[in-house]
Amino acid sequence: QAFLCVTSTLSLAAFRGHFVLEDLVEEMKKQSPALEFGPLQPDGRIAAQGSFLALRKLREFLLAKAESLWEEDKRQGKSHQRPRRKLQEHRGAAETRNSRGETQVVVLDTDIYHYMRSFHPKTLQANDVVISGVTDGDITTVCIESAASEAGAAQALRAKRMIENSSVELQRVLRKERICYKEPGRAERQRYRQLCERLKARHPGVLVLPYDTHIDVVGTSEGVFRFTEDVKR
């Protein structure tokens, strides 16, 4: 399985009170015509399916709007509730970014993020910045916080570019194979996990991600193939 199509559940609840959510969904569909969207749920959640790059662009689009709202709240104060507005009124301001002391954001496939953290940890480390990740299903949002200075902003931007470049390279070479448990139950899960732990020493470049119903194996095509063949034997 290559990283070609993923599904992500997005929460639009933070925009409630600022926009009519139905209008926001329509704007999202225009912004990302290659994605397929599920129905908008009462709690503000909506599922989107498509290529990882398309989902990443959509997530960045929403993060830009959220950051714009936060900046406007800071200017206006939060002592009054602003009326709900049509989305079009907020265009333009959505792309406004503070060039100093801001939080840089990179949206990664969650498996790519786990692989990067396990095998390329220095990519997620940099001087004078704080790098953290928040996972939401198939997508992990990496935040890079810098000091409010020109040097800090430059460091954050370099860290962002390094993470983005590493992500592109890993997407190119990594594959994922899913091993489903033959039987339900804790004993079966434990048996598979112990087996995979023993095999990891023979396959040092493979990442094993255990879940309740299956195990995901992430690595190069050759590495994943050899690992799964050992598991079958």
Side-chain angles (χ1 to χ4, degrees):
Q1 177 183 348
F3 298 97
L4 299 177
C5 183
V6 292
T7 300
S8 178
T9 300
L10 306 171
S11 176
L12 307 181
F15 295 97
R16 202 186 300 273
H18 299 281
F19 302 133
V20 178
L21 293 189
E22 289 76 7
D23 293 333
L24 178 57
V25 171
E26 289 303 314
E27 180 70 6
M28 290 163 54
K29 291 179 179 179
K30 293 178 181 178
Q31 175 76 15
S32 306
L35 295 176
E36 294 184 6
F37 292 90
L40 179 64
Q41 302 300 319
D43 62 357
R45 291 180 178 270
I46 186 170
Q49 184 180 63
S51 71
F52 175 72
L53 290 178
L55 279 170
R56 183 168 65 179
K57 289 179 180 179
L58 175 62
R59 180 66 68 91
E60 290 174 349
F61 167 76
L62 292 173
L63 287 172
K65 291 196 176 296
E67 182 177 343
S68 170
L69 291 174
W70 180 72
E71 291 290 342
E72 186 172 330
D73 281 337
K74 283 176 60 180
R75 291 194 300 269
Q76 296 185 4
K78 297 183 179 180
S79 60
H80 63 280
Q81 178 70 36
R82 288 177 288 120
R84 300 174 87 197
R85 65 194 68 181
K86 294 292 184 179
L87 188 61
Q88 288 76 6
E89 297 176 22
H90 213 72
R91 287 177 181 170
E95 299 302 325
T96 301
R97 298 295 182 101
N98 181 5
S99 62
R100 297 185 180 184
E102 70 173 4
T103 298
Q104 297 283 352
V105 174
V106 184
V107 182
L108 302 177
D109 177 278
T110 294
D111 292 323
I112 296 290
Y113 171 73
H114 286 315
Y115 195 93
M116 191 183 298
R117 190 174 63 174
S118 297
F119 295 102
H120 305 280
K122 291 185 178 180
T123 305
L124 298 171
Q125 301 168 4
N127 295 329
D128 302 321
V129 298
V130 177
I131 301 176
S132 59
V134 178
T135 296
D136 180 13
D138 294 327
I139 287 182
T140 294
T141 302
V142 177
C143 298
I144 308 160
E145 301 178 74
S146 65
S149 65
E150 186 173 352
Q155 283 285 78
L157 188 58
R158 280 195 293 271
K160 177 184 179 182
R161 289 173 177 169
M162 181 177 294
I163 293 170
E164 288 176 334
N165 292 339
S166 178
S167 172
V168 170
E169 178 61 19
L170 290 176
Q171 286 182 56
R172 186 179 68 82
V173 301
L174 293 182
R175 297 293 183 268
K176 179 171 71 174
E177 183 77 20
R178 178 160 295 177
I179 301 173
C180 296
Y181 304 133
K182 293 182 178 179
E183 301 174 4
R186 182 177 179 180
E188 183 77 350
R189 292 197 303 270
Q190 189 67 13
R191 187 172 71 87
Y192 268 88
R193 292 180 184 185
Q194 289 175 350
L195 172 61
C196 289
E197 282 297 320
R198 292 198 301 269
L199 292 175
K200 280 168 62 175
R202 297 171 55 184
H203 305 275
V206 169
L207 177 64
V208 178
L209 300 171
Y211 296 96
D212 288 342
T213 59
H214 63 275
I215 291 175
D216 284 341
V217 182
V218 182
T220 63
S221 295
E222 181 181 4
V224 168
F225 174 77
R226 291 182 180 275
F227 185 91
T228 54
E229 286 298 302
D230 277 357
V231 172
K232 292 175 183 178
R233 282 196 292 268

